[in-house]
Amino acid sequence: KNATVMDPNTQQWVIFDGPVDALWIENMNTVLDDNKKLCLSSGEIITLAPGNRMMFEVRDLAVASPATVSRCGMIYMEPDQLGWRPIVTSWLNRLPQQLEAKRSDINQLFEWLVDPTLKFIHQSCKGVIP
């Protein structure tokens, strides 16, 4: 709701990150249309400002209808191609305040240890599940 009252000349991004719920995503269809109106179950209608943009970062679209998918621009990324760095970066961005001063040191430890550890696991260890 706060994003709709911002300065109309300013771009405001609303990012949804998490699993897609069938009912929730179907209710988003009206806001994804050109009229950009979000119809809430309470009956309230929220019109997005011209500068409002939405991004959905989801695991899969298993419960999304073709109508919802057709309203969105899709970028699919194979998890294997992302690697470990985006996960670490996301985690570092949410460090508690008392660890903020050590952020660079923590990141250096990841850079130093993760790739050699993964290489060792792939070359020298056997998986329990075939």
Side-chain angles (χ1 to χ4, degrees):
K1 224 174 181 180
N2 292 341
T4 63
V5 294
M6 301 292 288
D7 176 9
N9 298 323
T10 302
Q11 278 201 353
Q12 178 75 28
W13 286 86
V14 179
I15 300 174
F16 298 91
D17 182 12
V20 175
D21 174 79
L23 183 60
W24 173 80
I25 196 68
E26 288 307 312
N27 288 333
M28 294 300 288
N29 282 344
T30 57
V31 82
L32 297 172
D33 285 338
D34 290 337
N35 63 17
K36 290 186 161 185
K37 291 185 180 184
L38 176 59
C39 300
L40 302 176
S41 57
S42 65
E44 184 179 3
I45 297 175
I46 299 172
T47 303
L48 270 63
N52 290 145
R53 303 289 182 263
M54 300 177 120
M55 180 182 293
F56 299 88
E57 185 177 337
V58 299
R59 182 175 171 193
D60 60 53
L61 296 170
V63 296
S65 71
T68 301
V69 173
S70 69
R71 288 175 168 88
C72 299
M74 302 287 167
I75 299 173
Y76 179 74
M77 303 288 294
E78 286 284 346
D80 299 359
Q81 293 177 353
L82 289 176
W84 58 268
R85 281 180 181 84
I87 297 167
V88 170
T89 300
S90 176
W91 179 76
L92 287 171
N93 287 338
R94 291 188 299 253
L95 279 178
Q97 187 66 33
Q98 53 273 41
L99 290 176
E100 192 61 38
K102 296 293 182 184
R103 179 187 178 128
S104 178
D105 294 335
I106 294 169
N107 189 49
Q108 286 178 359
L109 286 171
F110 276 102
E111 290 290 340
W112 175 53
L113 293 170
V114 173
D115 282 330
T117 302
L118 291 174
K119 183 178 178 181
F120 172 79
I121 290 169
H122 291 311
Q123 291 179 348
S124 304
C125 298
K126 288 187 179 180
V128 177
I129 300 172

